[in-house]
Amino acid sequence: MELEELYRKHGLTLIKEECTSMAVALAAWLALTKTAENEAKEVTAALEDELRGGHKTGFAPYIKEGEVYFTQRWLFMMGKK
């Protein structure tokens, strides 16, 4: 993994690594990140296209309670010198 190599490169020992998956509503995420309206429309269209079997975006969208969602992964890494 690239981040693990970055730790080694700087003389750090990786002592903890955790990955947390979070379900995120696309509309809420776009609002939170203050995505410009034209870009938000483009992202939404791409995810909706993927849901219809189109090009993969890497977001792996799904429908939950009538809204477009995706899974966001948070990575926590702790190193020691």
Side-chain angles (χ1 to χ4, degrees), residues 47-48 51-52 60-70:
L47 270 63
E48 289 174 346
L51 286 166
R52 291 188 299 273
Y62 58 95
I63 300 294
K64 178 180 172 184
E65 300 172 0
E67 286 190 66
V68 177
Y69 273 72
F70 63 95

Side-chain angles (χ1 to χ4, degrees), residues 2 4-5 7 9 20-21 25 29 36 39 43-50 63-65 69 72 74-77:
E2 291 176 23
E4 290 171 346
E5 181 57 34
Y7 274 65
K9 178 180 174 183
T20 303
S21 295
W29 180 71
E39 292 169 345
V43 170
T44 301
L47 270 63
E48 289 174 346
D49 180 60
E50 181 176 354
I63 300 294
K64 178 180 172 184
E65 300 172 0
Y69 273 72
Q72 189 176 60
W74 297 357
L75 177 62
F76 171 79
M77 298 175 76

Side-chain angles (χ1 to χ4, degrees), residues 3-61:
L3 290 174
E4 290 171 346
E5 181 57 34
L6 185 62
Y7 274 65
R8 281 190 287 281
K9 178 180 174 183
H10 292 282
L12 298 168
T13 301
L14 187 60
I15 59 173
K16 187 168 188 149
E17 182 175 354
E18 293 178 359
C19 185
T20 303
S21 295
M22 303 291 293
V24 178
L26 176 62
W29 180 71
L30 291 170
L32 179 67
T33 58
K34 298 180 181 161
T35 304
E37 186 177 340
N38 61 329
E39 292 169 345
K41 286 180 183 178
E42 189 176 325
V43 170
T44 301
L47 270 63
E48 289 174 346
D49 180 60
E50 181 176 354
L51 286 166
R52 291 188 299 273
H55 179 76
K56 300 282 186 198
T57 62
F59 278 73

